[in-house]
């Protein structure tokens, strides 16, 4: 019902009761299922007890709970989260950028299902310059291991010194999709970043840092996939 800072002020000024007793210590713990919390005498309920996290994934961290080859996993970056949360889709070991994790299976399913047309934006760096035929093929669809890629928005961000940076906007997430698409037109991706997922970016997060989504962000995600 209020920001963290405003909530602390409410607590410190004696406006919050747990089971009928005023608490003034912001670290007081409550059991959302058993305790009765009142603010200004009115009961409040936990609106959202699920956990939604945005991680700025660095390269070199595996998106997996297990670590079969002794590489680092993203869970080593998520210290302080004491519930089990699952990645929404995957990023390759060497890919960096926006990775959402949550314990909300319905939302995660819809965010990754192509039917809901959630936008994922990637920046891919490669040697050489994809020509007009290659760019058209990337936009219209190229053959992948499991079928054909769906139409995508693709633009050249920079083409200089024999290298090209492409931006690709996709609504699906087949395995290693961007790398497969670029390979299909003769270019190996050297470096890949996911800059946006469903409108969320890594703004204000350094590589390896994470934050909880705000309630407004969760609401927007749910609206995007028709979960309202
Ligand atoms: N496409 C890829 O090829 N790799 C990723 O990590 C994400 C999208």
């Amino acid at each position: 019902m209020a920001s963290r800072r405003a909530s602390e002020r409410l607590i410190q000024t004696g406006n919050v009761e747990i089971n009928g007793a005023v608490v003034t210590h912001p670290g007081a713990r409550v059991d959302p299922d058993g305790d009765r919390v009142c603010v200004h005498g009115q009961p409040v309920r936990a609106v959202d007890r699920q956990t939604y996290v945005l991680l700025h994934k660095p390269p070199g961290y595996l998106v997996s709970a297990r670590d079969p080859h002794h590489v680092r996993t993203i869970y080593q970056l998520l210290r302080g989260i004491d519930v089990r949360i699952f990645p929404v889709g995957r990023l390759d070991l060497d890919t960096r950028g926006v990775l959402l994790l949550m314990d909300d299976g319905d939302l995660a399913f819809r965010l990754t299902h192509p039917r809901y047309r959630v936008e994922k934006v990637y920046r891919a760096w490669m040697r050489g310059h994809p020509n007009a035929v290659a760019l058209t093929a990337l936009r219209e669809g190229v053959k992948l291991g499991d079928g054909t890629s769906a139409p995508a928005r693709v633009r050249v961000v920079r083409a200089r010194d024999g290298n090209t940076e492409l931006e690709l906007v996709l609504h699906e997430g087949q395995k290693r999709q961007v790398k497969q698409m670029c390979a299909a037109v003769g270019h190996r991706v050297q470096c890949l970043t996911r800059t946006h997922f469903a409108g969320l970016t890594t703004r204000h997060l350094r590589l390896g840092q994470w934050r909880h989504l705000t309630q407004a962000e969760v609401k927007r995600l749910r609206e995007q996939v028709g979960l309202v």
Side-chain angles (χ1 to χ4, degrees):
M1 64 173 299
S3 69
R4 173 179 284 258
R5 190 156 298 159
S7 300
E8 284 175 1
R9 264 199 306 277
L10 282 171
I11 295 167
Q12 281 157 351
T13 49
N15 290 296
V16 178
E17 290 167 23
I18 301 175
N19 301 327
V22 171
V23 285
T24 51
H25 170 50
R29 300 189 76 83
V30 293
D31 169 4
D33 294 321
D35 292 326
R36 182 178 160 83
V37 180
C38 291
V39 175
H40 298 132
Q42 296 300 315
V44 290
R45 263 186 338 110
V47 174
D48 190 350
R49 301 220 316 271
Q50 280 165 309
T51 303
Y52 303 87
V53 165
L54 192 164
L55 170 68
H56 189 174
K57 180 195 175 294
Y61 284 81
L62 194 67
V63 181
S64 166
R66 268 177 280 125
D67 164 12
H69 303 297
H70 306 290
V71 285
R72 294 169 290 190
T73 81
I74 51 160
Y75 287 96
Q76 288 157 2
L77 300 167
L78 296 169
R79 300 232 163 79
I81 299 177
D82 51 8
V83 291
R84 285 187 57 152
I85 51 174
F86 301 93
V88 179
R90 304 264 149 187
L91 289 178
D92 297 335
L93 181 65
D94 58 350
T95 303
R96 61 177 72 201
V98 183
L99 182 67
L100 294 185
L101 297 108
M102 57 184 69
D103 53 4
D104 180 339
D106 294 339
L107 180 58
F109 172 78
R110 291 190 180 208
L111 287 170
T112 49
H113 197 292
R115 176 174 1 137
Y116 297 97
R117 299 194 56 75
V118 171
E119 267 191 10
K120 293 145 204 145
V121 184
Y122 295 92
R123 289 280 174 105
W125 285 263
M126 61 207 66
R127 294 206 209 294
H129 300 300
N131 60 21
V133 174
L135 292 173
T136 303
L138 289 174
R139 290 180 183 125
E140 292 182 352
V142 291
K143 277 225 158 41
L144 304 178
D146 299 336
T148 306
S149 60
R153 293 207 308 277
V154 178
R155 73 181 175 97
V156 177
V157 178
R158 198 166 295 126
R160 195 187 295 157
D161 303 331
N163 297 308
T164 301
E165 179 183 345
L166 288 187
E167 184 180 80
L168 300 95
V169 183
L170 310 184
H171 295 107
E172 54 180 353
Q174 300 186 43
K175 208 164 170 220
R176 294 167 49 82
Q177 177 151 358
V178 173
K179 291 176 187 163
Q180 283 201 67
M181 286 172 69
C182 294
V185 296
H187 292 271
R188 197 164 79 81
V189 171
Q190 307 283 328
C191 185
L192 183 63
T193 299
R194 179 154 70 191
T195 60
H196 297 72
F197 186 111
L200 294 166
T201 72
T202 54
R203 210 153 69 96
H204 302 313
L205 288 176
R206 289 196 301 274
L207 267 180
Q209 281 190 324
W210 62 269
R211 67 172 177 85
H212 288 286
L213 296 189
T214 64
Q215 284 195 3
E217 286 170 332
V218 174
K219 186 164 175 272
R220 273 200 297 277
L221 287 180
R222 299 181 75 80
E223 283 167 359
Q224 277 188 54
V225 296
L227 275 178
V228 274

